[in-house]
Amino acid sequence: MKLSQRLHTIASMIDGHYSHIWDCCCDHGLLGATLLKQGRCDAMHFVDIVPSITNSLIAKLEQFYPLAALSQQTWHVHCLDVHALPLAQYRSQSPQLVIIAGVGGELTASFVKAIQQHALAIGQSVEFILCPVHHTYQLREALSSLTLGLVNEHLITENKRFYEILHLSSDATTPVSLVGDKIWSHHNTDINQHYLTRLLNHYRLAIKGATDETHAAMLREAISAYQALTPQQ
């Protein structure tokens, strides 16, 4: 199957070779299979918490990527919670790449915090590529407190939805912006304005129903930050 625009963009942001790549919340495994075929890693790890997904994926990988036919590569399928990636079992001298796509920003932040904490504890360098389906501001806010810097970021549109994709590394020195920096220079003004309008409408609607003051304060901060990106608002 052909990769979606979202998965294709993620794959295009990987221009190096990794000892291990973790395709988390992998669904049908299309992204991981593509990276395996491209030779982007020594070992590809497919991770999902749903047994029916991982069982089906194992059958497909055994059919199309039999381990006996792979000379210098291997793959593993893990049915587990992304919070508990077994990094210690696969420690390497070089950085490992963890890809988390298809879940919300708050859950993504929780995953990243747990993985980064474990990686620091065992001395394993880890990079992340993140593509949340929503709540990107909350994710960026959480990332700003971690020892991760921005490598690259993209804004894409697919099926009338917008996605921000972030590549992070502990070796990068560029701070993670709360609203993004590079994403606004990668697309034309019409796309940027459409995305900003949608974000502002979302947060303005959300603040009307906010009952928790801490959450309301975050929403006000998000509105102010996004308003600053466009003189029209």
Side-chain angles (χ1 to χ4, degrees):
M1 292 178 62
K2 183 180 179 181
L3 289 182
S4 66
Q5 177 63 26
R6 179 172 59 95
L7 296 183
H8 175 76
T9 302
I10 292 174
S12 71
M13 292 172 70
I14 304 171
D15 56 7
H17 183 89
Y18 293 87
S19 56
H20 298 268
I21 294 180
W22 302 79
D23 181 9
C24 301
C25 309
C26 63
D27 198 13
H28 300 295
L30 292 177
L31 175 60
T34 297
L35 298 176
L36 184 66
K37 185 176 181 179
Q38 292 176 347
R40 293 298 186 185
C41 59
D42 298 325
M44 173 61 62
H45 300 264
F46 299 84
V47 183
D48 205 290
I49 199 171
V50 181
S52 61
I53 289 178
T54 53
N55 290 336
S56 175
L57 184 54
I58 289 172
K60 291 178 181 177
L61 290 170
E62 289 177 341
Q63 178 182 359
F64 296 106
Y65 300 94
L67 292 174
L70 298 177
S71 58
Q72 298 183 8
Q73 292 177 286
T74 188
W75 52 260
H76 306 272
V77 177
H78 307 269
C79 185
L80 50 77
D81 188 327
V82 176
H83 290 97
L85 290 192
L87 297 179
Q89 185 178 342
Y90 300 96
R91 284 184 63 177
S92 59
Q93 295 294 324
S94 58
Q96 300 188 23
L97 176 64
V98 177
I99 303 171
I100 305 173
V103 297
E106 292 176 310
L107 182 56
T108 300
S110 180
F111 287 154
V112 172
K113 287 180 179 179
I115 295 168
Q116 178 74 344
Q117 182 178 22
H118 179 50
L120 290 173
I122 65 173
Q124 175 64 59
S125 178
V126 177
E127 297 181 16
F128 294 90
I129 290 183
L130 310 175
C131 182
V133 294
H134 49 61
H135 296 158
T136 308
Y137 186 88
Q138 291 92 318
L139 170 61
R140 288 176 173 275
E141 189 175 45
L143 293 174
S144 65
S145 65
L146 301 179
T147 56
L148 293 169
L150 182 71
V151 177
N152 203 355
E153 59 185 350
H154 285 282
L155 170 66
I156 69 162
T157 179
E158 177 184 86
N159 296 328
K160 298 182 180 180
R161 297 190 65 174
F162 291 91
Y163 297 94
E164 296 180 32
I165 307 174
L166 297 86
H167 184 179
L168 309 169
S169 170
S170 56
D171 294 327
T173 57
T174 301
V176 178
S177 165
L178 290 178
V179 294
D181 290 325
K182 293 183 179 181
I183 62 173
W184 306 112
S185 62
H186 286 178
H187 290 279
N188 63 48
T189 303
D190 289 340
I191 292 177
N192 289 348
Q193 188 58 50
H194 188 187
Y195 183 47
L196 278 174
T197 299
R198 181 173 295 189
L199 285 170
L200 285 166
N201 288 342
H202 166 75
Y203 284 110
R204 286 167 177 160
L205 182 63
I207 201 169
K208 291 180 180 179
T211 56
D212 178 77
E213 179 53 35
T214 300
H215 182 57
M218 182 280 296
L219 294 173
R220 286 192 292 268
E221 290 173 2
I223 292 171
S224 178
Y226 286 120
Q227 280 180 328
L229 291 173
T230 171
Q232 290 92 336
Q233 297 294 332

